[in-house]
Amino acid sequence: MTSLFTQEIRLSKRHEKIVSQRLMLLQQMENKFGDQNTEKACQLQAAEIAFKRNLSLLKDIEAAEKSLQSKICSHLPLEIVSLETRYWASVEEYIPKWEQFLLGQAPYPMGVENQKEAENTVLNEA
């Protein structure tokens, strides 16, 4: 009977040790989980701050671009402004044709005849 009693005591001590280790591990897990949540919150806050900063920088760049564009346009001769306007109108006219070609949904937008005609027109105008 004493052997059963000593075995019971030994098992009881082992059980207490296992339970204390379990509690310690649970506490470590809770701490780690809390640290992860804190870190995630900090990362989200940093991302939000970076997004706002980037948005502000983008607005500043756009404002600077508009300012420079207005300064450049005010100093350009009227002929150059007219050429630029016609150029962009031409680009906008051909964008749909080139988009289809670049997406592989249409043939080359300018045939050989058109290319030679364009070259002849350019040579004649010069």
Side-chain angles (χ1 to χ4, degrees), residues 100-116:
Q100 296 303 315
F101 168 71
L102 293 172
L103 292 172
Q105 299 172 352
Y108 186 75
M110 301 178 111
V112 175
E113 298 128 10
N114 291 342
Q115 190 173 0
K116 291 196 185 240

Side-chain angles (χ1 to χ4, degrees), residues 28 34 42 80 88 96:
Q28 288 175 353
C42 289
I80 293 177
W88 285 113

Side-chain angles (χ1 to χ4, degrees), residues 26-39:
L26 284 173
Q27 185 63 43
Q28 288 175 353
M29 286 176 53
E30 286 178 13
N31 291 343
K32 188 168 186 172
F33 184 69
D35 292 345
Q36 286 175 344
N37 284 343
T38 303
E39 185 178 337

Side-chain angles (χ1 to χ4, degrees), residues 4-56:
L4 288 177
F5 184 68
T6 55
Q7 189 177 6
E8 181 72 27
I9 291 173
R10 194 183 66 215
L11 289 175
S12 177
K13 287 180 181 181
R14 188 170 179 198
H15 179 263
E16 287 178 19
K17 184 178 178 182
I18 291 172
V19 169
S20 68
Q21 286 177 341
R22 181 180 178 270
L23 287 174
M24 185 177 67
L25 289 172
L26 284 173
Q27 185 63 43
Q28 288 175 353
M29 286 176 53
E30 286 178 13
N31 291 343
K32 188 168 186 172
F33 184 69
D35 292 345
Q36 286 175 344
N37 284 343
T38 303
E39 185 178 337
K40 190 174 185 178
C42 289
Q43 289 175 346
L44 287 173
Q45 185 180 12
E48 186 176 325
I49 290 169
F51 177 77
K52 288 178 182 178
R53 182 196 66 229
N54 290 346
L55 193 59
S56 173

